[in-house]
Amino acid sequence: MSTITEKRRVSSILKPQSVPDGNVTPTRNKVRFAALSIESALQDVLEHNRLAGYEEVIEKLREDIEDSTFIEIFLDAKQAVPLMQPCFGKLVEQLLATRWFHRSDDAQEAYKQFALELAIVQKNYCAMTVTKLVKMFIPEKVQETGALPSEEQQRQMGSVHDLIIRLKNVIPLIFDVVLTQLRKNFPYYKRPTGDTVSYLYNVLRMTEYASIYCDELLDIVVFHLLQMDVNVPRSAIEEAEYPDDEMIFEMAEGGEDEEMSRDSETMKHPVAETLDWYMDILFNYIEQTVKVDGQGDRLFKIVLNQFETHILPTHNTDHAQFMMFYICSFKLSYAEHFISSLWKNVNNPNKSPTVRQTSVGYIASMLARAKFVPLSYLKSMLVEMSHWVHNYIQRCDSMHYNQSLKAHLVFYSVCQAIFYVVAFRSNHLTTSAKNLTFLQSLQLSSIVTCQLNPLRVCLPTVATAFAGITRAYQLAYCHTILERNARRKLATVYKNSTQLPEDCLDTFFPFDPYMLKKSGKRIEPFYLQYQAHEVDEEAVDPAGISNGKGRKRYESVSEDIDDFIPESKRHRHLSGHGVDVSGEFTFSYGVSPGFHS
């Protein structure tokens, strides 16, 4: 009986070959697979230890099949789920890895039903199921540009998200597995831009239906943002964008204009290009959440928590912190709360000196650069900081103390922050007699002449710019102190021309000019470029004597742009901080104060 059946089966398969139109292959695939039941193949392994049918099923799954056959396979697989023990992991992995989201709605539903049944009945396959879904966030074909996913890709990814939602509804704790797999499978920062953009887009999309896990999802996003940011420093971007000191401009011909326009928004450094798209997607997400969804307050708390946990303690970031800058631009209360939280860090002796110093840098940079911070709030913060400084000076005067930088690191940082903000915002703070009276109330002269001598450790450009403003309006006389400080540093400077001057604050101003092109368009409307005060038209030498030559060194620099010189170029002719190759001491840029020397 079995022999007759086998002959009939062979005959039925071979007979269609004589048919003229000859569509043989699909018929053979369908008939052969119909004869192979996944459930019977698994039972053969369990009961009779026969692997032939099991291996044949796996081989068939690797072939390209029609939607009708696909549906039959996964309906059969769903019935066989109770038999899918851990030893059948190879078959389960092949079933889950089968491409499905580009198929018909019925075929997609058959796959989803199988995945749901598998996750419910065989919980040991939950991690494998989630991993296969998460890996689908990375496109199969590498995109040439970092453009957002197309409508077709978004539709296909919508099916993946729908399955994750259904899994979350039947197994609430499965989202912990989702978070773990999202972290493990996040693309490496050197992968093509399209991979990272697509993955980030889908991770942020998950916050729509898993809002309770928004903090954890953004934690993943910020972690990988920082990893990318610290691996593409400002100097690397400058070298890629401006390889030569002199830019050579060529006239475009005919159809080259459009191409040059597209290229103008593309970063030449590949990781910087990925970072640019990354920041642009993040900014768009923040804007949509605040303006459209009305969830601004909740998102601000989450972003602030991410800032304090990850961004603030991280050294040498250039762009990640603008995530905080951008969300603060939507509401003044956000900016006030942000600055207030930083000031609490400064006043908290339980915080490390490094965190307190970094918090001061953020406060100074925010007050100087943010257009959305009103002058009234800026004044209130200057009053707060000056009171803190005066109280610190009074406490030190009543006891024996040393003047080392390490012993008074936070004090010197707050002093420099005051000098920086006053010099940077001098055009706004000196516009009226009322504002000048306010500056006099800060008692700046008492600060610069105290025994701790804060000008001694300030970045030279900050000290020089502050000295010019205070001298012009008779707020304080700093040039004698600068001259004396310069003489004290001569021995150190001339001993070794490559050695940094002793006792100089190692600080940074985190909101210095934004260098990414596409995402930078969102920052520009809220960002204050440095505008030189009229008293800066006369250059001042280290001894405080006007040389009467104006700004000869920077005549070629346009006054429309921010007075920021890339770090790689600002040190091109300097062998050390404030020391030129001839050994002559001169005031130069610090880490990045945003001023001309």
Side-chain angles (χ1 to χ4, degrees):
M1 185 69 180
S2 59
T3 306
I4 296 173
T5 305
E6 183 63 21
K7 288 182 178 180
R8 288 178 180 175
R9 183 179 303 167
V10 173
S11 176
S12 64
I13 292 174
L14 296 177
K15 185 178 293 184
Q17 293 182 357
S18 61
V19 179
D21 57 357
N23 189 12
V24 179
T25 303
T27 305
R28 186 182 71 244
N29 288 343
K30 182 175 181 180
V31 172
R32 285 186 62 197
F33 202 91
L36 293 173
S37 168
I38 294 178
E39 186 174 5
S40 62
L42 297 183
Q43 287 177 343
D44 274 354
V45 176
L46 293 174
E47 297 175 4
H48 306 291
N49 199 26
R50 291 199 292 259
L51 298 176
Y54 175 75
E55 292 176 351
E56 189 172 356
V57 169
I58 294 176
E59 288 299 322
K60 287 304 299 183
L61 288 172
R62 292 171 180 166
E63 298 180 5
D64 188 17
I65 54 180
E66 296 178 350
D67 283 358
S68 57
T69 307
F70 182 92
I71 294 172
E72 291 180 12
I73 292 172
F74 278 88
L75 289 178
D76 186 23
K78 179 183 176 183
Q79 298 299 321
V81 164
L83 299 176
M84 292 182 181
Q85 299 177 8
C87 59
F88 297 124
K90 186 177 180 181
L91 171 64
V92 174
E93 184 176 6
Q94 189 62 48
L95 285 166
L96 292 173
T98 305
R99 295 187 67 228
W100 61 275
F101 53 78
H102 67 290
R103 297 183 178 273
S104 65
D105 292 342
D106 291 339
Q108 292 183 25
E109 184 61 27
Y111 181 95
K112 293 176 184 178
Q113 289 293 338
F114 164 72
L116 286 167
E117 187 74 12
L118 183 68
I120 294 171
V121 177
Q122 302 286 356
K123 290 184 171 55
N124 51 300
Y125 288 120
C126 281
M128 182 186 294
T129 304
V130 171
T131 300
K132 297 299 181 183
L133 295 177
V134 166
K135 287 184 176 180
M136 293 177 184
F137 292 161
I138 301 177
E140 294 181 348
K141 296 181 179 180
V142 178
Q143 301 181 30
E144 294 183 0
T145 64
L148 291 173
S150 64
E151 291 185 3
E152 177 63 20
Q153 288 175 324
Q154 292 182 32
R155 184 193 65 78
Q156 292 176 354
M157 287 301 101
S159 298
V160 179
H161 287 287
D162 176 66
L163 179 52
I164 294 175
I165 293 172
R166 292 164 71 171
L167 286 169
K168 183 174 73 71
N169 290 338
V170 297
I171 311 175
L173 293 179
I174 201 173
F175 213 82
D176 293 334
V177 181
V178 173
L179 294 172
T180 301
Q181 296 306 319
L182 285 174
R183 290 188 178 92
K184 286 184 178 180
N185 292 280
F186 207 101
Y188 184 56
Y189 72 92
K190 289 186 178 180
R191 288 277 296 270
T193 300
D195 292 358
T196 304
V197 166
S198 178
Y199 199 94
L200 172 65
Y201 177 85
N202 285 286
V203 170
L204 292 177
R205 186 172 178 177
M206 297 177 81
T207 61
E208 298 175 4
Y209 56 82
S211 58
I212 191 173
Y213 296 99
C214 186
D215 200 352
E216 289 82 355
L217 291 168
L218 286 181
D219 185 90
I220 297 171
V221 170
V222 172
F223 175 82
H224 289 277
L225 168 63
L226 287 171
Q227 188 180 48
M228 195 181 308
D229 195 10
V230 298
N231 280 285
V232 56
R234 186 181 295 271
S235 57
I237 297 177
E238 290 166 356
E239 289 176 4
E241 294 294 324
Y242 313 109
D244 301 319
D245 287 337
E246 297 181 1
M247 300 294 293
I248 300 176
F249 297 94
E250 298 180 356
M251 297 298 293
E253 298 181 2
E256 294 182 359
D257 291 340
E258 184 178 351
E259 184 178 352
M260 289 183 65
S261 177
R262 290 195 302 267
D263 291 343
S264 65
E265 291 189 357
T266 302
M267 304 297 295
K268 296 179 181 179
H269 194 292
V271 181
E273 174 68 6
T274 303
L275 179 61
D276 196 5
W277 276 104
Y278 203 107
M279 294 298 298
D280 193 57
I281 293 173
L282 265 180
F283 289 159
N284 181 68
Y285 170 77
I286 291 173
E287 182 179 6
Q288 291 294 318
T289 305
V290 175
K291 288 187 175 180
V292 179
D293 301 337
Q295 298 292 324
D297 292 350
R298 180 172 180 269
L299 180 63
F300 172 77
K301 292 179 181 178
I302 294 174
V303 173
L304 180 61
N305 179 60
Q306 293 300 321
F307 171 84
E308 293 177 341
T309 305
H310 297 298
I311 300 177
L312 182 63
T314 304
H315 176 66
N316 200 27
T317 61
D318 294 310
H319 297 94
Q321 57 266 25
F322 278 89
M323 181 181 178
M324 198 71 225
F325 185 95
Y326 187 67
I327 195 172
C328 286
S329 68
F330 289 98
K331 191 183 289 187
L332 177 59
S333 60
Y334 295 165
E336 293 177 348
H337 188 85
F338 173 56
I339 295 174
S340 176
S341 66
L342 292 169
W343 185 241
K344 288 180 181 178
N345 288 340
V346 178
N347 284 278
N348 186 357
N350 295 321
K351 296 284 185 179
S352 68
T354 303
V355 171
R356 297 172 72 186
Q357 179 191 15
T358 306
S359 298
V360 172
Y362 272 99
I363 292 173
S365 197
M366 190 75 166
L367 293 176
R369 294 289 189 177
K371 287 183 179 179
F372 47 82
V373 174
L375 190 62
S376 58
Y377 185 77
L378 184 148
K379 288 181 178 180
S380 67
M381 281 305 305
L382 284 176
V383 170
E384 189 84 15
M385 290 191 289
S386 64
H387 283 172
W388 187 93
V389 168
H390 287 300
N391 290 335
Y392 192 97
I393 293 172
Q394 290 177 2
R395 291 197 303 271
C396 289
D397 285 343
S398 61
M399 63 183 72
H400 178 73
Y401 60 89
N402 63 66
Q403 296 185 15
S404 69
L405 176 60
K406 181 180 289 189
H408 305 282
L409 180 62
V410 180
F411 167 80
Y412 287 130
S413 299
V414 176
C415 289
Q416 179 172 256
I418 295 174
F419 302 158
Y420 177 79
V421 174
V422 169
F424 199 102
R425 299 294 293 267
S426 57
N427 283 330
H428 302 90
L429 292 171
T430 59
T431 54
S432 65
K434 182 179 179 181
N435 287 339
L436 288 174
T437 302
F438 163 75
L439 289 178
Q440 291 174 353
S441 69
L442 299 179
Q443 301 179 31
L444 299 174
S445 181
S446 299
I447 297 176
V448 300
T449 59
C450 72
Q451 293 296 320
L452 291 173
N453 190 5
L455 288 175
R456 172 176 61 89
V457 298
C458 282
L459 298 177
T461 42
V462 175
T464 304
F466 175 75
I469 297 297
T470 53
R471 183 184 66 171
Y473 295 98
Q474 300 182 4
L475 299 171
Y477 297 96
C478 307
H479 291 100
T480 303
I481 300 174
L482 291 177
E483 181 183 5
R484 183 173 68 249
N485 293 339
R487 285 199 302 267
R488 289 179 178 176
K489 291 181 179 180
L490 288 179
T492 303
V493 170
Y494 286 110
K495 181 179 179 181
N496 185 346
S497 61
T498 62
Q499 182 176 340
L500 292 176
E502 292 181 349
D503 291 341
C504 187
L505 276 173
D506 180 18
T507 187
F508 79 117
F509 299 92
F511 297 122
D512 268 357
Y514 195 86
M515 301 189 68
L516 305 178
K517 297 176 181 178
K518 286 178 286 291
S519 53
K521 294 179 180 179
R522 295 178 181 269
I523 296 296
E524 186 177 357
F526 314 109
Y527 192 79
L528 184 64
Q529 303 286 357
Y530 176 65
Q531 297 175 350
H533 195 279
E534 58 184 5
V535 301
D536 290 341
E537 294 302 321
E538 294 186 0
V540 180
D541 68 5
I545 303 173
S546 174
N547 59 23
K549 295 183 180 180
R551 302 173 69 177
K552 291 288 184 180
R553 291 179 59 194
Y554 299 97
E555 282 180 346
S556 61
V557 178
S558 171
E559 293 182 0
D560 314 2
I561 63 174
D562 189 278
D563 277 349
F564 176 84
I565 297 178
E567 186 175 357
S568 59
K569 293 178 174 53
R570 94 170 61 112
H571 293 300
R572 187 176 298 278
H573 302 294
L574 293 177
S575 57
H577 180 87
V579 187
D580 64 16
V581 293
S582 65
E584 179 182 355
F585 180 80
T586 178
F587 284 108
S588 66
Y589 276 77
V591 176
S592 81
F595 295 120
H596 270 316
S597 57

